[in-house]
Amino acid sequence: MSENTAQQSAIGRAKRLARRAALATTAGIAASQAVAVGTLLAMDAYTKRGRKKRRAPKPGTFDSTVEKSDITIFTSGEDLFESMIESIDHAEHTVMLATFIWKGDRVGQRFMDAVNNAAARGVDVFLIWDVFANLVVPRQFFDQLDERINVHRMYPISGSFWRAPIRSTGLIHSKVLVVDDEIGYVGGFNIGDAYESEWRDTHVREVGPAVWELRQAFVNVWNEDRRADERIDWIAPNAWNTRVEVHPNLPLQAVYPIRRMYLAAIERAQKNIWLSTPYFVPDGKLLEPLRAAAARGVDVRLMLPEQSNHVVVDWVARGFYQDLLDSGVRIFLYTPAMNHSKIATIDGMWATVGTANLDRLSLALNYETNLEVADPAFAEALEKVFEADFKDCYEVDPEKWKARAGIEKVTEKLLVPLRPVM
């Protein structure tokens, strides 16, 4: 064997060994991740056993008027659902309801009865709900729907997947109700008993010109890939709103404005940025302006649930804490209940309430709807909600966080590869 041949043979063996080592390392990491996820899920299931149901705090109901539109902030599921059902009960010509989760329980039945009664008296009812999110709901529950109701069951993958795979995926995570083109609701509340009293959440009701954009958010989803005779007709807006806007994520149109809305507002901040989200898995382009704002002296506060309903997402979020704390961002963990609010306010001038979480799924995949309001009175009202919620939080101490157990740090590192899918 020549020297050159021997050298090539040695290189070949080295490459094979390197590939095997890489495969073994990858398999080892994957196995460690699986163990970490399994352990977290098991621990979460154990701690939830026998846990008593807790009623979530209710900071109150707040009203403001912005450019001839009356806007009410709801923090109580009981108050919100009463208002929504009352609106449906008084509907005269149209009801458009989109929801992510619609439980077949007492609250769910109240909404079922309300839309059926509306259809029975001649109201045109249009319903959208997410199939994946409601797999555990008995089919018999939805079989109750009046046959005159127009229904759009949204699947995670649409029929046009093979033509446009990226644009044909995504969950309908929006929660929107529009009645008679005059009253609109949007926010984080799903429909069900637990959301009525056990979860802390935030929703808004609009009455006035701003409702047109909420209507369009619903109509744009409904009319996608639908025959002309099945579409909801366009109507003209009765005003041009400059301080109240609706931003809908529409995957089929490859439109994701909510992420840009947040970035534009954060970049303007001079005094304070207060954010509340149940699931925090941002990309670098969202983290960077938050860190930059804190560095220039802005009071940046991030409110998260101490324990959400998705323990793995909680631990993925923990992986961002150190970087944020080092940048001067303050982190508050909400303790009394699951806080599902997706709200933000900046500089006492700007605010948003909606359905989008600050995670990859909401900002770059799902159908979402957020209301953006540039108005001091509305921002002040939402700040009151934050101030009430902060009282039910504890702030993460940067020094104590650095000193957390080594196994916690290892677990956080193992879960980093899961960020793109959360």
Side-chain angles (χ1 to χ4, degrees):
M1 181 182 297
S2 68
E3 183 178 343
N4 187 47
T5 302
Q7 187 177 32
Q8 289 179 346
S9 178
I11 292 173
R13 285 196 300 271
K15 287 182 176 179
R16 287 193 295 273
L17 287 172
R19 283 196 294 269
R20 290 172 186 169
L23 288 172
T25 301
T26 301
I29 292 173
S32 298
Q33 288 174 338
V35 170
V37 170
T39 301
L40 290 174
L41 292 173
M43 291 174 60
D44 185 58
Y46 179 79
T47 56
K48 287 180 179 177
R49 281 177 27 182
R51 180 187 295 172
K52 293 182 179 180
K53 295 180 179 179
R54 299 175 294 176
R55 293 184 66 83
K58 302 176 180 63
T61 301
F62 304 88
D63 298 294
S64 63
T65 300
V66 184
E67 290 187 334
K68 299 181 180 180
S69 290
D70 296 324
I71 306 179
T72 301
I73 302 172
F74 290 94
T75 62
S76 162
E78 290 151 315
D79 295 340
L80 170 68
F81 294 155
E82 286 297 331
S83 180
M84 292 175 72
I85 289 173
E86 181 181 2
S87 295
I88 296 171
D89 287 345
H90 288 87
E92 296 181 357
H93 59 85
T94 55
V95 170
M96 304 177 189
L97 174 63
T99 187
F100 181 54
I101 297 173
W102 187 349
K103 293 292 189 183
D105 51 22
R106 178 186 56 82
V107 167
Q109 189 63 49
R110 290 188 65 196
F111 276 85
M112 177 68 68
D113 294 341
V115 296
N116 279 340
N117 291 337
R121 63 177 185 270
V123 175
D124 290 328
V125 180
F126 301 87
L127 302 179
I128 303 175
W129 70 82
D130 191 84
V131 171
F132 177 78
N134 293 285
L135 288 175
V136 298
V137 179
R139 184 174 179 178
Q140 296 89 327
F141 173 72
F142 292 111
D143 287 343
Q144 300 177 71
L145 285 169
D146 189 295
E147 62 183 9
R148 290 164 288 195
I149 292 178
N150 305 282
V151 174
H152 184 13
R153 300 173 180 86
M154 296 251 334
Y155 290 86
I157 299 176
S158 73
S160 57
F161 178 77
W162 298 112
R163 287 188 285 113
I166 295 177
R167 291 187 293 162
S168 301
T169 57
L171 305 178
I172 176 71
H173 196 246
S174 290
K175 298 95 177 172
V176 172
L177 170 65
V178 178
V179 176
D180 290 344
D181 306 329
E182 297 176 353
I183 304 172
Y185 297 81
V186 65
F189 277 97
N190 289 294
I191 297 173
D193 290 354
Y195 314 118
E196 180 184 61
S197 58
E198 297 170 29
W199 286 34
R200 168 70 192 89
D201 215 329
T202 306
H203 227 81
V204 294
R205 178 185 64 204
E206 292 183 296
V207 180
V211 175
W212 183 85
E213 289 197 33
L214 269 184
R215 181 189 191 273
Q216 282 303 110
F218 182 98
V219 170
N220 285 337
V221 176
W222 181 272
N223 286 350
E224 284 287 354
D225 288 339
R226 198 171 289 275
R227 298 197 315 263
D229 61 336
E230 296 177 334
R231 294 184 176 185
I232 300 173
D233 292 335
W234 180 86
I235 64 171
N238 52 14
W240 281 89
N241 294 95
T242 56
R243 287 190 287 159
V244 182
E245 293 188 64
V246 173
H247 299 283
N249 279 0
L250 297 169
L252 269 174
Q253 296 180 9
V255 172
Y256 300 94
I258 296 174
R259 184 173 180 275
R260 181 58 201 159
M261 175 199 73
Y262 270 107
L263 291 173
I266 292 169
E267 288 167 357
R268 289 174 175 267
Q270 301 175 55
K271 298 177 182 178
N272 71 289
I273 300 171
W274 293 353
L275 304 167
S276 178
T277 182
Y279 317 114
F280 184 71
V281 190
D283 59 25
K285 292 300 182 182
L286 185 58
L287 283 175
E288 184 178 338
L290 288 175
R291 293 194 300 257
R296 64 176 180 264
V298 176
D299 175 21
V300 183
R301 302 187 190 186
L302 175 64
M303 188 188 310
L304 305 171
E306 181 186 40
Q307 293 179 321
S308 78
N309 59 321
H310 294 298
V311 64
V312 177
V313 179
D314 292 346
W315 276 79
V316 172
R318 286 168 57 106
F320 295 97
Y321 287 10
Q322 192 64 66
D323 188 25
L324 290 168
L325 293 169
D326 289 344
S327 302
V329 176
R330 300 171 67 186
I331 300 173
F332 293 79
L333 299 182
Y334 188 85
T335 60
M338 167 57 180
N339 191 337
H340 195 246
S341 296
K342 305 99 167 23
I343 59 178
T345 184
I346 295 178
D347 287 356
M349 295 295 296
W350 178 94
T352 184
V353 178
T355 72
N357 305 308
L358 294 180
D359 61 19
R360 313 295 179 93
L361 296 180
S362 280
L363 298 180
L365 182 69
N366 290 341
Y367 290 83
E368 305 281 359
T369 308
N370 266 55
L371 183 73
E372 179 186 28
V373 183
D375 179 80
F378 184 81
E380 180 183 6
L382 200 60
E383 282 186 348
K384 291 178 181 177
V385 175
F386 269 99
E387 288 165 354
D389 285 340
F390 284 139
K391 293 177 182 177
D392 289 313
C393 295
Y394 69 87
E395 185 172 358
V396 177
D397 182 277
E399 294 306 316
K400 290 182 179 178
W401 183 255
K402 285 181 182 179
R404 68 195 184 283
I407 187 62
E408 296 181 28
K409 297 177 182 178
V410 171
T411 302
E412 293 158 14
K413 289 290 185 183
L414 283 172
L415 299 178
V416 167
L418 299 182
R419 292 177 180 177
V421 296
M422 291 187 171

